[in-house]
Amino acid sequence: MKEPFKFHHAGLTAPASGALVITPSDGSDLPSAIRAVTLGGEGRLSFVGWDGQIHTTGPLPAGTYALLACRIRATGTTATDITGWI
C-alpha cells in the first residue's frame, strides 16, 4: 500500500496510528505512550501522564477519552476493557 502521508507530521489532533490492549500495571510503562483511551466498562482510571505525575479520574462511563499517558496503573483503576490509542 502506498503511504501518502509518510512525510507528514502527525499532531495530537490527527487520527490514531495504532492501538494497544491495556492491562493496568503499577510497575510497567506501556510499550508506547498513548493519546487517548477507550473504556469498555465504566469506572475510574489511574494513569501516569507524560508529565510523570499520577492522575486519577472520577467515575467515568464507558467511552473514549483524550489523555496523554505512559502507564495505566492497576492501583486506582476500576474501569475495564481498556484500549489505548497511539
Side-chain angles (χ1 to χ4, degrees):
M1 180 168 92
K2 190 173 181 179
E3 297 180 48
F5 304 109
K6 75 179 189 178
F7 296 111
H8 290 78
H9 175 72
L12 288 177
T13 59
S17 62
L20 303 169
V21 174
I22 295 177
T23 301
S25 170
D26 290 335
S28 297
D29 285 343
L30 298 168
S32 180
I34 59 172
R35 58 167 130 183
V37 67
T38 297
L39 308 179
E42 66 182 30
R44 295 179 186 276
L45 189 68
S46 181
F47 63 96
V48 177
W50 286 4
D51 60 3
Q53 299 297 310
I54 295 172
H55 307 277
T56 303
T57 69
L60 298 170
T64 300
Y65 301 91
L67 61 84
L68 303 176
C70 58
R71 179 182 302 172
I72 303 298
R73 300 177 69 239
T75 301
T77 295
T78 59
T80 58
D81 206 15
I82 304 168
T83 301
W85 299 98
I86 302 167

